[in-house]
Structure formats: C-alpha cells, structure tokens
Amino acid sequence: MGAGWGITLPLTKIAVSTGYQHFGLIFWQLVIGAVLMSVIGLIRGTKLPVTRPQLAICLMVLMIGTVLPNTTSYQAAVHLPSGILSLLLSMVPMLAFPIALAMGLDRFSWPRLAGLSLGLVGVLMIAVPGAQAMNLSVFWIVVALIASLCYGLEGNLVARFGTAGLDAFQVLYGASLMGAVMMLPVAVLTGQWIPPGAALTPEGQALIAGSAIHVLVYAGYVWMVGRAGPVFTVQVSYLVTGFGVFWAKLILDETYSPGIWAAMALMFAGIWLVQPRRKSDLVADG
C-alpha cells in the first residue's frame, strides 16, 4: 500500500514534465478514477449517493480532498523534486493534530505538540536557504504544504460530520463522478484541456498509471483502516514517505543532501509522536 501510494508522486512529476497543467490533469485523474470505481461499484453492487447530505459530503471530499490539494501538488511538482513532495506529505498527521484541537475532536498532548514541532523543524531544514544544498524554492514548499493541510482538514471534517450513511468507497465514487463533470468546463475554459491522444505519451501514461494506482490503493487503505483503526492510518505516512523517496531515486534518479535525510528523520519522529493513542492507552488514562 505504501509502495503504491509512494509511486504516484514520481508519476506526478513525470505527468507535469512537459507542460500539462493542473486542471487538465485533475479532470483526467477524476475520469480515470470514476471509470475504475464504476467497474468496482458494479461488482460490489455499490449504490450512488442521492440525498442532499450525501452529495454535500461528496462535494466536500472532492474540493478539499482532490481539487485543492491536487491543484497545489501538480503546480509544486513542476518546481520541486518528487522526493521532497513525499517528505512534505508526511506532515499530514502533524497538521491534522492542531485542526482536531480547534474542532474539539482531540485533547491537547505535550508529546503530540512535540511531534508537530519536530515536523515543522524538518520543513525548515528543507526550506530555509542555506540549510540544504538543493536550493529549493520556499514559495513552492509552502504551496506543496497546502495539500498536506487539506488532507488533514478533510480527515477532521469527516470525523466531525460523518459521511451521511455512505461508506468510504461510496464517498470517493460519488466525488469522482461529480468532479469529472465539474472539472470538464474548468479545464476547457482555462485553456488547460488535455486531448485524449495525450494518453499515448509517456506523460499521459504516467497520469493513467498514477490515477489507477491511487484508486486501488485507496480502496485497500479504506479496507485496512476499517479493521486496524486510526493508529494504522498514521503508519501509512511512514510508508508513503519512505517509498516515495525510494521510487524517486529509482525512477527519476533523484539525490538528496545530508540535510534532507536529517529532515526526514525528524519528520518520522514527529509522525511517531503525533500518532493517535490506542484505545487501551486511553482506558488506562481514564
């Protein structure tokens, strides 16, 4: 699962390498996802969301879980190495913690605050000029972090408001169908339309592969979360980041300075500190 999610990041880097822009890429990503999930939905006998609350949750997941983070990620991928994008995605559980506090979904914890702090120090080690030898743009690092913020917000909104009786697959299915319809005119009117013939190019094939892998991995993720609980979801952050860096090295031949590896170590420590506690720990505290 971590290997699958991690490889989508270098595939994203390839997809944007020749000038394809974010709205066109998002449209085709949603179309590919909708087609695959339609097939899976037929096999599962999945019902589409039909009520107003169900459509509202699908719209929220579409905007905060796909359109906004992918808009920033695709643009940042033009300017940042794939492995750096993987590192910045590891901030999701750390950014989710203060959002959960603000929404009253979690309790304050000094260790988890320390984890958030370690993650932020890791980001500074990547971003501050002179702190590493890659001369990365601070602006695009901040843009890339918007995706992590969106994912952290999305999880908390779902935890706060629920999914209106839908399972996670139905939510993603509905969001993909809704998004494909919504993003078609956006891609055309902004001049970012990508013709279907682009599927024959390496960039188009990278987009197709990345979109297909994302759907399959997400389905597996949902299946596992339902059985392993919230602690497991945080462990995925380790795997996505680690495999993302591995695939970037293998596919794109990226290299990193010692400061980047140190930043990764700090971020991993931060993930460990902010992970949700197990129910047994909460019972012991109570």
Side-chain angles (χ1 to χ4, degrees), residues 116-175:
L116 172 61
S117 301
L118 285 177
L120 293 176
V121 171
V123 171
L124 288 175
M125 290 181 66
I126 295 172
V128 173
Q132 37 72 29
M134 300 182 71
N135 295 318
L136 302 175
S137 167
V138 175
F139 174 78
W140 289 112
I141 288 174
V142 173
V143 170
L145 281 172
I146 294 174
S148 298
L149 183 64
C150 286
Y151 294 136
L153 176 60
E154 177 193 21
N156 279 291
L157 287 174
V158 170
R160 175 66 177 83
F161 297 106
T163 57
L166 301 173
D167 63 31
F169 181 87
Q170 288 175 298
V171 172
L172 187 62
Y173 187 17

Side-chain angles (χ1 to χ4, degrees), residues 1-256:
M1 186 179 301
W5 229 320
I7 202 173
T8 61
L9 295 163
L11 291 175
T12 294
K13 184 71 176 177
I14 294 171
V16 302
S17 62
T18 55
Y20 292 146
Q21 297 186 62
H22 46 282
F23 289 140
L25 291 168
I26 291 171
F27 166 72
W28 284 112
Q29 179 186 15
L30 289 166
V31 168
I32 294 165
V35 170
L36 282 175
M37 282 185 286
S38 294
V39 174
I40 298 173
L42 286 174
I43 296 173
R44 295 180 70 215
T46 301
K47 295 182 179 180
L48 288 172
V50 292
T51 68
R52 183 174 296 179
Q54 290 174 342
L55 294 175
I57 193 70
C58 289
L59 180 61
M60 183 276 289
V61 168
L62 168 66
M63 297 306 298
I64 300 178
T66 298
V67 175
L68 291 177
N70 285 7
T71 295
T72 59
S73 293
Y74 280 131
Q75 292 182 83
V78 177
H79 304 277
L80 297 176
S82 172
I84 298 301
L85 295 176
S86 299
L87 285 177
L88 296 176
L89 272 180
S90 71
M91 287 295 296
V92 172
M94 288 173 267
L95 293 175
F97 173 55
I99 296 173
L101 288 179
M103 296 178 65
L105 297 174
D106 208 337
R107 294 182 297 176
F108 177 80
S109 164
W110 284 108
R112 298 180 76 183
L113 178 62
L116 172 61
S117 301
L118 285 177
L120 293 176
V121 171
V123 171
L124 288 175
M125 290 181 66
I126 295 172
V128 173
Q132 37 72 29
M134 300 182 71
N135 295 318
L136 302 175
S137 167
V138 175
F139 174 78
W140 289 112
I141 288 174
V142 173
V143 170
L145 281 172
I146 294 174
S148 298
L149 183 64
C150 286
Y151 294 136
L153 176 60
E154 177 193 21
N156 279 291
L157 287 174
V158 170
R160 175 66 177 83
F161 297 106
T163 57
L166 301 173
D167 63 31
F169 181 87
Q170 288 175 298
V171 172
L172 187 62
Y173 187 17
S176 295
L177 290 172
M178 187 183 298
V181 174
M182 291 176 57
M183 292 306 297
L184 174 59
V186 174
V188 173
L189 293 175
T190 58
Q192 298 184 24
W193 168 252
I194 301 173
L200 301 177
T201 66
E203 297 77 24
Q205 291 166 5
L207 174 63
I208 293 171
S211 300
I213 291 170
H214 175 77
V215 170
L216 297 175
V217 168
Y218 189 87
Y221 172 80
V222 170
W223 181 82
M224 286 295 292
V225 168
R227 287 153 179 78
V231 173
F232 172 81
T233 66
V234 178
Q235 312 312 315
V236 173
S237 299
Y238 289 106
L239 297 174
V240 172
T241 300
F243 274 108
V245 172
F246 168 77
W247 287 122
K249 172 64 177 175
L250 185 66
I251 298 173
L252 304 175
D253 197 28
E254 292 185 357
T255 58
Y256 311 103

